Amino acid sequence: MKLPRRFFQPLAIGAPAPLRTLPVRLERMIHFVPPHVEKMRSKVPELAKQVDVVLGNLEDAIPIDAKLDARRGFIEMAKATDFGSTGLWIRMNALNSPWALDDLVEIVGAVGDKLDVVMVPKVEGSWDIHYVDQLLAQLEAKAHARKPILIHAILETAEGVKNVEEIAQASPRMHGMSLGPADLAASRGMKTTRVGGGHPDYKVLSDAGSGPRAAAQQDLWHYTVARMVDACMANGIKAFYGPFGDFSDAEACEAQFRNAFLMGCAGAWTLHPTQIAIARRVFSPDPAEVAFARKIIAAMPDGAGAVMIDGKMQDDATWKQAKVLVDLADLVEAKDGAAAS
């Protein structure tokens, strides 16, 4: 483990200094684009005005014979598009694949200063982050990059969940983590083929009695999301829900996203255009909640003491909760207001 005084030193001569705090950005939806498909690339300039993050997907869902086209397509897309305040990410190929090294070498060399975040799949421990951290520093130095590229880990193996705290604090490049439910289910030996969401057989029953027993479906991912959120927030980075694979069930998608939002996630992946509006709605705070939060801030500007508002006691703890909502609301207003103008 690095000594604290060396933690923020660049890992390569000429690389930009690591960030000490994350940029303050709205990231309600990370929208996946398959960059090997020209029709999808052509939609990116307009898409960039509608979403918070555009992600070029190079990994799962990209056929093996299209991997190189996806990489070339991403570089073309990045060069051709003005993303403005919208983030530009890639999901690189897994570190044990034959494409991972060239994903980073070619993309950082070509468009390093436009790339905000590299999403790394199947992260199992801090060693995976250390490898990408060192490599990115070398590539940034070679490309004369002006800003460091951040790292986002996908939590999608049992070992990754076990090591979640170490992953979260592995590097000052860490941006956050996303839940990867499909690969995680396989890694754990879970008996489901669903991509995110619940399962009707994962439930509890009311006690046996004289009448029919009530059943309540449970959330398969509650434990993992909670562990991920705690690890991320304890280390000053962000947690995200991953994919919801059933595009035909908007109601269930919204429920899963809302659970993640309430638990502390900053956003979720959107794999289909219909999910963009769901993520925007869910990961933006409720106006009534924001109005009440602003009352708390106004009554306690410095967060000290205790006051009664609408018959409810407010103190330091509720002031902190209100601050979370108000800060998020200000970001949403700035982003969505700019998009509408």
Side-chain angles (χ1 to χ4, degrees), residues 229-297:
V229 168
D230 282 348
C232 287
M233 299 307 289
N235 288 281
I237 63 176
K238 297 180 177 182
F240 293 77
Y241 192 81
F244 187 88
D246 188 351
F247 303 151
S248 66
D249 195 344
E251 189 176 3
C253 176
E254 179 159 349
Q256 193 73 70
F257 283 6
R258 193 168 301 283
N259 288 348
F261 172 69
L262 291 171
M263 289 182 68
C265 288
W269 300 5
T270 52
L271 308 183
H272 190 273
T274 59
Q275 296 180 336
I276 293 173
I278 297 172
R280 178 179 289 107
R281 180 169 61 251
V282 169
F283 290 98
S284 300
D286 179 81
E289 292 261 15
V290 174
F292 187 71
R294 292 193 189 281
K295 281 188 178 182
I296 297 173
I297 300 294

Side-chain angles (χ1 to χ4, degrees), residues 34-317:
H36 64 295
V37 181
E38 195 280 332
K39 180 180 178 181
M40 301 302 294
R41 289 201 308 272
S42 69
K43 297 179 180 179
V44 167
E46 190 60 33
L47 180 69
K49 302 173 185 176
Q50 304 171 28
V51 301
D52 297 335
V53 174
V54 172
L55 179 145
N57 184 24
L58 309 181
E59 198 222 5
D60 288 352
I62 306 300
I64 289 176
D65 61 2
K67 293 289 189 182
L68 301 187
D69 287 338
R71 188 190 302 148
R72 285 191 289 264
F74 177 82
I75 292 171
E76 177 185 321
M77 180 182 88
K79 286 181 174 179
T81 307
D82 178 3
F83 290 91
S85 63
T86 297
L88 179 63
W89 299 19
I90 58 165
R91 177 169 72 166
M92 66 180 292
N93 283 287
L95 296 178
N96 62 355
S97 77
W99 307 286
L101 180 60
D102 287 340
D103 284 347
L104 295 181
V105 171
E106 293 185 19
I107 289 172
V108 176
V111 293
D113 269 335
K114 295 191 83 170
L115 184 64
D116 295 302
V117 176
V118 171
M119 184 181 278
V120 185
K122 301 172 181 66
V123 172
E124 302 219 296
S126 58
W127 51 88
D128 288 333
I129 303 302
H130 295 159
Y131 169 75
V132 177
D133 191 6
Q134 181 73 72
L135 180 57
L136 283 174
Q138 293 169 319
L139 296 174
E140 289 165 348
K142 184 177 180 181
H144 306 290
R146 296 185 296 273
K147 66 179 180 64
I149 298 165
L150 301 179
I151 295 174
H152 184 103
I154 313 179
L155 205 59
E156 51 188 339
T157 71
E159 187 167 7
V161 175
K162 178 177 72 72
N163 294 323
V164 66
E165 289 86 2
E166 289 81 0
I167 293 168
Q169 61 189 323
S171 164
R173 285 187 194 271
M174 284 300 296
H175 164 276
M177 295 186 203
S178 287
L179 173 72
D183 278 293
L184 180 55
S187 175
R188 283 177 168 165
M190 295 168 66
K191 312 306 185 286
T192 176
T193 57
R194 298 181 175 210
V195 179
H199 194 288
D201 292 334
Y202 191 71
K203 59 188 178 184
V204 294
L205 296 177
S206 62
D207 290 346
S210 56
R213 300 178 69 176
Q217 186 171 320
Q218 305 295 291
D219 186 354
L220 286 164
W221 309 109
H222 182 86
Y223 160 80
T224 308
V225 171
R227 282 205 66 186
M228 178 180 68
V229 168
D230 282 348
C232 287
M233 299 307 289
N235 288 281
I237 63 176
K238 297 180 177 182
F240 293 77
Y241 192 81
F244 187 88
D246 188 351
F247 303 151
S248 66
D249 195 344
E251 189 176 3
C253 176
E254 179 159 349
Q256 193 73 70
F257 283 6
R258 193 168 301 283
N259 288 348
F261 172 69
L262 291 171
M263 289 182 68
C265 288
W269 300 5
T270 52
L271 308 183
H272 190 273
T274 59
Q275 296 180 336
I276 293 173
I278 297 172
R280 178 179 289 107
R281 180 169 61 251
V282 169
F283 290 98
S284 300
D286 179 81
E289 292 261 15
V290 174
F292 187 71
R294 292 193 189 281
K295 281 188 178 182
I296 297 173
I297 300 294
M300 305 171 58
D302 60 358
V307 297
M308 294 293 291
I309 302 176
D310 297 346
K312 300 175 183 177
M313 190 196 80
Q314 311 299 329
D315 60 9
D316 172 69

